Amino acid sequence: MFSFLKKGLEKTISAFTGSKPADKKITKDILEELLLEADVPYEIVQEIIYYLPPREIVDKADLSRVMQTYFMYDSKSIEAKPFVMMILGVNGAGKTTTIAKLANLFKSNSKSVILGASDTFRAGAIEQLRQWATRLEVPIIASNQGHDPAAVAYDTISSAVAKGMDYAIIDTAGRLQNQKNLASELEKISRISDKALSGAPHQKILILDGTQGSAGVAQAKAFNEIIKVDGVIITKLDGTAKGGALFGIARELELPILYIGVGESKDDLIKFNPKEFVDTICDAIF
């Protein structure tokens, strides 16, 4: 898992190793430059330095301890069968591919999964999810473009209940004519899901494009205001040197990072482990 994470964070690691001076101890000034280079927000860089011991030379163990405090948020534990996941995010963030990766992950752990194509705003989104369902050999509930997305969610959950499935993963639209329409649609899907199965959706997960770095925080806040989000998945981390943005995302949203996407393959999704992530960053710095 550690090597998998390092491979996914290769560009972020390169940002550290390429900027740090050779054969020199890491001072606080050097640390500031390195963290900013990896897109750690300026305010958080200043906080990290403030909470380090007052000496000028930075100790690796001290830095690791301070950094890990930014990932203290845990996902809520809910026992439900089927466990219903509502997936949120703008178009282009990797939402549909991440749904496929989640389905593949659960299936590889001998769990049954059904997909719901509730992004009926775009015909392409329905077709893309259908293709993934075929490749992964998992069932899907889908309709035509323009069909009521809440009805698709209801049918997906009802089918999962009837078949005794472990997971139901519901895709949703990332963009409608305006934010008010999007808010109304997502609220309706959530409400109708609860009618299909009390307590559903059990987890509302936001997909964020890691290549956007700290700019993704504003996007995440907007979704969190529309419908309360339970956790975040960061995609495309293998394609960016902005891995440091995860500190800002976790702190600003006060939400757990659940998984990170580190490649194009259906297997390139790993459960986020704060300690392993911070250790990888610290190893690169020192």
Side-chain angles (χ1 to χ4, degrees), residues 1-10 13 105 108-109 258-262 267-280:
M1 185 67 75
F2 230 146
S3 59
F4 196 14
L5 180 62
K6 283 185 178 180
K7 181 177 178 293
L9 291 172
E10 190 171 354
I13 291 170
L105 179 65
S108 66
N109 289 321
L258 305 172
Y259 298 92
I260 55 176
V262 292
D267 298 308
D268 291 339
L269 185 75
I270 59 176
K271 193 172 181 64
F272 181 71
N273 182 307
K275 186 178 186 306
E276 288 182 1
F277 173 73
V278 169
D279 284 348
T280 300

Side-chain angles (χ1 to χ4, degrees), residues 18-186:
S19 301
K20 69 180 181 181
D23 301 322
K24 282 190 178 181
K25 293 186 179 296
I26 302 298
T27 65
K28 289 181 177 177
D29 286 343
I30 292 172
L31 177 64
E32 178 177 355
E33 292 178 15
L34 293 174
L35 294 179
L36 290 172
E37 188 76 21
D39 211 39
V40 179
Y42 178 77
E43 295 81 5
I44 291 180
V45 173
Q46 296 306 303
E47 284 180 5
I48 289 172
I49 291 171
Y50 175 82
Y51 285 111
L52 288 170
R55 57 181 176 272
E56 184 59 25
I57 302 300
V58 179
D59 179 76
K60 184 178 180 180
D62 289 330
L63 181 60
S64 176
R65 173 182 51 78
V66 172
M67 282 183 161
Q68 287 185 52
T69 63
Y70 287 89
F71 302 102
M72 65 179 74
Y73 308 103
D74 294 322
S75 57
K76 59 184 180 182
S77 180
I78 297 175
E79 293 294 328
K81 186 176 179 178
F83 188 86
V84 180
M85 306 170 81
M86 180 175 172
I87 309 299
L88 315 163
V90 300
N91 303 333
K95 184 158 51 75
T96 309
T97 305
T98 300
I99 290 171
K101 289 178 179 180
L102 283 169
N104 179 68
L105 179 65
F106 297 148
K107 194 179 175 191
S108 66
N109 289 321
S110 302
K111 301 295 184 181
S112 53
V113 188
I114 187 170
L115 306 182
S118 283
D119 182 359
T120 59
F121 188 65
R122 296 183 303 134
I126 300 170
E127 183 55 31
Q128 188 182 4
L129 201 62
R130 272 201 180 109
Q131 290 176 4
W132 271 115
T134 300
R135 287 172 60 183
L136 296 172
E137 299 182 330
V138 299
I140 183 173
I141 301 295
S143 186
N144 298 320
Q145 182 180 10
H147 190 72
D148 183 1
V152 175
Y154 184 93
D155 290 345
T156 303
I157 297 168
S158 296
S159 180
V161 171
K163 296 175 181 177
M165 306 198 81
D166 296 301
Y167 289 93
I169 308 177
I170 312 294
D171 190 14
T172 63
R175 187 177 294 114
L176 297 181
Q177 289 88 344
N178 56 55
Q179 188 163 311
K180 185 177 179 182
N181 284 355
L182 179 60
S184 176
E185 177 172 299
L186 296 179

